[in-house]
Amino acid sequence: MSAMLKLAVPNKGRLSERTLELLSKAGFHVPRHARRLLADVNGTWRLLFVRTDDIPEYVSTGTADVGITGLDIVSERGQPVEMLLELGFGKCRLVVAAPQVNGANTVAQLQGQRVATVFPNLTRRFFNEQGMDVDIVPLSGATEVAPSVGVAEAVVDLVETGSTLRQNGLVELETFLYSQAVLIANKDRWAQQKDSILELQSAVKSVLDAQRRRYLMANVPQFKLDEVKALLPGVTAPTIMPLLGQEDWVAVHAVIHEDVVNQLIPDLKRCGVEGLLILPIERMVS
Ligand code: AMP
C-alpha cells in the first residue's frame, strides 16, 4: 500500500469549521472526537490539525502534501506552493485604513508615516508599488487599536464587512487584496503524486460546483415546452421525458444556477407547469 498523503487543515479559528464541513461533504469525514493532532480518513489521507498561519510553511516544506488556509496568509508568507482551488469561504479583504478624525484621507498622505499590520510583507510590497516609503510596525493582532494607542498613523488589516474598523474610528482608504480559503499543494508532491492529489481536488470541486446549483423537476404542458426550455439556460440541456398516460404533458429535469431560482419560479408558473420541485445537489462531477 502506498504511503498516506498528508492534508494540513486549521485546528481552530475562522476557517476550521467550514474546512471540515467541506471535506466531509467531499467524502472525507472526520468524527468530532477524532479532531486532535492527526486523523486518518478514507485510508489514503492523514489530516494534520495545525494553526492556519503555519499551513503555508507545512506545505512548502513538504511536512504536509496539501493544505487548506487563507490566500492572504499564503501571499504574506511568499513560500512557493501550488495553488489548486479557491474554496469560496473565508472571504475577506486586506485594506489600508486610517482614523476618521484627523487621519489621512488618501493613501498618498501616508508617505513617511507609520503603518501597523500583521502583514508586513504584503504591506511593504503594496507601498513600494505606490512608490511610497512608510514605516511598517509589525504586530501579531488587534491592529485596529494601533492608531488610538499611538503606535501608528494607519493600519493594514483584514476585513469582512469593515464594521470592526468603523467601531474603532477607522475608515478604509483602499483595498489591495481579496482573500478566501484556498487548497494548496507542495510543488514536488504535486508533480509526483498528481493522481491522488487530483482526486482530492476533484472531490472538493464537485461539492463547490454542486453548492451553487439546484436540480429542477417540473411537469410541463407540451404546447409550452419551447417556452419553458427558453427559460432554462442550464448547465446542461434539460432532460425531457414523457409522462405515462398523459400525452400532452412532459417531465422536464434541469440543473440550474442557485441565483436564478427565485426569478424562475413565477415565470414557470405562468407557463402552467405543475409539480415543480427544486432539490439540492450533493456533487457535480464533470
Ligand atoms: P484565524 O486566525 O485562524 O481565525 O484565521 C484567520 C484567517 O481567516 C485569515 O487569515 C483569513 O484568511 C480568514 N478571514 C476571513 N474573514 C476574516 C476577517 N474578517 N478577519 C480576519 N480573518 C478573516
Side-chain angles (χ1 to χ4, degrees):
M1 198 182 111
S2 59
M4 289 187 118
L5 286 163
K6 295 192 208 82
L7 165 60
V9 296
N11 60 351
K12 55 184 180 193
R14 289 172 192 264
L15 304 182
S16 165
E17 274 306 312
R18 293 289 302 274
T19 297
L20 292 175
E21 193 186 313
L22 176 61
L23 288 174
S24 171
K25 286 182 180 162
F28 302 86
H29 182 66
V30 191
R32 201 161 277 277
H33 66 83
R35 297 175 188 177
R36 298 216 180 93
L37 181 59
L38 297 170
D40 292 349
V41 279
N42 293 4
T44 318
W45 288 92
R46 172 159 293 170
L47 265 58
L48 308 183
F49 290 87
V50 289
R51 283 187 45 150
T52 316
D53 273 354
D54 294 334
I55 290 177
E57 172 75 17
Y58 281 107
V59 174
S60 67
T61 56
T63 304
D65 304 288
V66 183
I68 292 179
T69 186
L71 175 61
D72 52 313
I73 303 168
V74 179
S75 310
E76 171 65 19
R77 296 288 182 275
Q79 288 133 325
V81 292
E82 196 70 36
M83 192 64 65
L84 298 187
L85 199 58
E86 293 183 332
L87 302 176
F89 64 90
K91 287 191 175 173
C92 53
R93 303 173 286 125
L94 198 54
V95 304
V96 185
Q100 188 161 24
V101 179
N102 296 331
N105 297 315
T106 62
V107 167
Q109 291 172 358
L110 294 173
Q111 171 64 26
Q113 307 225 320
R114 294 168 302 165
V115 179
T117 186
V118 174
F119 297 89
N121 295 328
L122 291 173
T123 301
R124 191 171 303 111
R125 195 188 310 159
F126 169 73
F127 282 102
N128 281 347
E129 281 167 8
Q130 310 302 306
M132 291 174 62
D133 205 10
V134 296
D135 190 3
I136 291 168
V137 180
L139 297 180
S140 61
T143 316
E144 66 281 358
V145 300
S148 51
V149 297
V151 170
E153 282 70 46
V155 303
V156 162
D157 203 4
L158 274 185
V159 301
E160 204 171 330
T161 60
S163 63
T164 311
L165 288 183
R166 283 193 295 277
Q167 279 161 18
N168 285 279
L170 301 173
V171 282
E172 291 178 27
L173 304 181
E174 192 164 332
T175 293
F176 66 92
L177 183 95
Y178 287 88
S179 180
Q180 60 179 290
V182 287
L183 180 69
I184 55 174
N186 174 275
K187 282 194 171 285
D188 292 339
R189 306 291 161 68
W190 173 242
Q192 295 151 3
Q193 314 228 26
K194 209 170 204 153
D195 288 350
S196 307
I197 296 176
L198 265 178
E199 232 171 77
L200 172 77
Q201 185 196 21
S202 314
V204 170
K205 185 167 184 305
S206 72
V207 174
L208 298 176
D209 288 345
Q211 276 171 355
R212 297 174 198 129
R213 304 261 155 57
R214 299 289 178 272
Y215 195 77
L216 176 143
M217 302 196 284
N219 295 340
V220 178
Q222 184 78 51
F223 78 102
K224 285 283 189 183
L225 184 56
D226 285 343
E227 219 174 299
V228 168
K229 277 202 283 194
L231 290 171
L232 298 172
V235 176
T236 52
T239 307
I240 317 286
M241 286 166 288
L243 277 177
L244 205 61
Q246 291 185 323
E247 261 140 48
D248 35 3
W249 285 77
V250 286
V252 172
H253 290 196
V255 174
I256 56 173
H257 204 279
E258 63 170 354
D259 297 344
V260 304
V261 170
N262 286 338
Q263 83 196 44
L264 202 56
I265 292 172
D267 288 345
L268 289 172
K269 280 190 168 164
R270 267 190 291 279
C271 289
V273 309
E274 285 183 4
L276 179 59
L277 288 178
I278 292 164
L279 309 172
I281 300 172
E282 209 165 320
R283 301 266 202 111
M284 288 219 14
V285 183
S286 51

